[in-house]
Amino acid sequence: MLKDMLKNLNIAIIVAAGSGSRLGSGTPKQFLRLGNREILSYSVETFSNHAKIDKVIIVTSADFLASVKKNYPNCSVVLGGSTRQESVAKGLKACPYRTRFVLVHDAARPLLPFDIIDSCLRQLDEFDGVAPAIEPVDSMVSIEGNRLKNLSRNNLRIVQTPQCFRVDVLKKAHTSPFVDTDEMGLVSKALPDARLSFVKGAQINMKITRDGDLEILNTYLKAQQK
Ligand code: C5P
């Protein structure tokens, strides 16, 4: 009992405060339905069922605060900000005192494989930050004016979530003036000496963003049920 009270905690922060819907439905994508459930519920369930995750914090917008509190009574639910980075900062503030590792996950990535959480946590024994990533399969170019520059795929990664850190590292990066679209980007700018690493991501851990993404995941779920 006392041992439990003194143990360091691993906290999942699920960011679900985005208002935009490039899917054109008007409802933020994390609250659309996949199969017969809300998209947000999948990642909440995955983290809640993982033996090494002690608590799930959901960050959401004012419009959905009451319903998220009602629908996920075992999670802490806090108000987000106007950017993803601000929402993560609010989640960090809600972490309990004994937090050791934080795993920041996009609510819009419902089908997070369980073993990615395991690989990330294992790597955090040696690194300050870890995230899943996949290698691009298409040719990659950068466009400068009307010139195309071919980029070497070997040096490129598509970075997914959960982005996992020692809590002190991520909090320190959040006190910097830097801004980025994700935590790996922010930490690498703010703390260039931080030891960062990637584990193997998964295509199914895709972020629902464009028309057709929901159909892909619905088809996958149906095939799994057969
Ligand atoms: O917009 P984007 O797809 O990059 O959002 C990634 C994740 O960040 C989504 O789960 C979204 O709900 C979350 N987000 C947030 N607060 C914001 C903007 C995005 O929690 N202000």
Side-chain angles (χ1 to χ4, degrees):
M1 182 78 167
L2 184 65
K3 208 169 130 216
D4 270 358
M5 282 165 65
L6 294 178
K7 97 177 187 150
N8 289 317
L9 304 175
N10 299 329
I11 307 296
I13 299 175
I14 302 180
V15 281
S19 59
S21 172
R22 278 171 272 184
L23 298 178
S25 69
T27 304
K29 52 198 176 184
Q30 59 272 23
F31 301 113
L32 296 175
R33 295 190 94 71
L34 170 65
N36 54 3
R37 291 160 46 190
E38 187 169 80
I39 286 174
L40 170 63
S41 72
Y42 288 85
S43 52
V44 169
E45 186 180 280
T46 303
F47 284 111
S48 303
N49 288 342
H50 196 288
K52 292 198 173 141
I53 300 298
D54 298 290
K55 186 183 175 74
V56 177
I57 297 173
I58 305 173
V59 186
T60 195
S61 59
D63 287 350
F64 292 89
L65 197 64
S67 60
V68 171
K69 279 185 177 167
K70 179 169 159 275
N71 293 339
Y72 303 96
N74 296 325
C75 300
S76 290
V77 182
V78 297
L79 188 60
S82 58
T83 63
R84 185 182 183 285
Q85 189 167 324
E86 280 176 28
S87 294
V88 173
K90 302 274 181 92
L92 279 174
K93 281 211 178 95
C95 285
Y97 173 66
R98 299 204 70 84
T99 303
R100 182 174 184 220
F101 296 142
V102 276
L103 298 83
V104 180
H105 187 65
D106 293 332
R109 296 182 192 271
L111 300 189
L112 166 65
F114 220 60
D115 61 355
I116 287 185
I117 302 176
D118 290 317
S119 329
C120 287
L121 286 173
R122 262 198 307 274
Q123 289 276 82
L124 276 178
D125 286 333
E126 277 179 59
F127 291 91
D128 299 317
V130 181
I134 54 178
E135 294 178 12
V137 290
D138 297 308
S139 292
M140 307 293 287
V141 294
S142 71
I143 303 170
E144 285 152 27
N146 50 12
R147 290 184 136 233
L148 291 190
K149 195 170 145 209
N150 241 72
L151 303 174
S152 167
R153 280 192 303 232
N154 297 339
N155 300 328
L156 295 174
R157 296 291 177 273
I158 298 167
V159 185
Q160 303 182 327
T161 70
Q163 301 200 355
C164 313
F165 297 87
R166 290 178 29 174
V167 73
D168 52 319
V169 170
L170 191 55
K171 280 190 172 170
K172 195 165 174 198
H174 270 266
T175 61
S176 80
F178 293 103
V179 172
D180 216 315
T181 51
D182 71 354
E183 294 65 55
M184 288 299 262
L186 176 68
V187 170
S188 63
K189 278 182 187 164
L191 308 169
D193 292 334
R195 294 160 309 159
L196 302 179
S197 165
F198 291 108
V199 297
K200 199 165 178 289
Q203 256 183 297
I204 203 62
N205 188 27
M206 65 190 263
K207 182 167 71 172
I208 296 174
T209 306
R210 304 185 189 96
D211 275 348
D213 289 349
L214 251 179
E215 284 71 17
I216 292 171
L217 293 189
N218 264 317
T219 308
Y220 173 85
L221 283 182
K222 275 190 195 133
Q224 294 292 99
Q225 282 155 11
K226 276 185 191 153

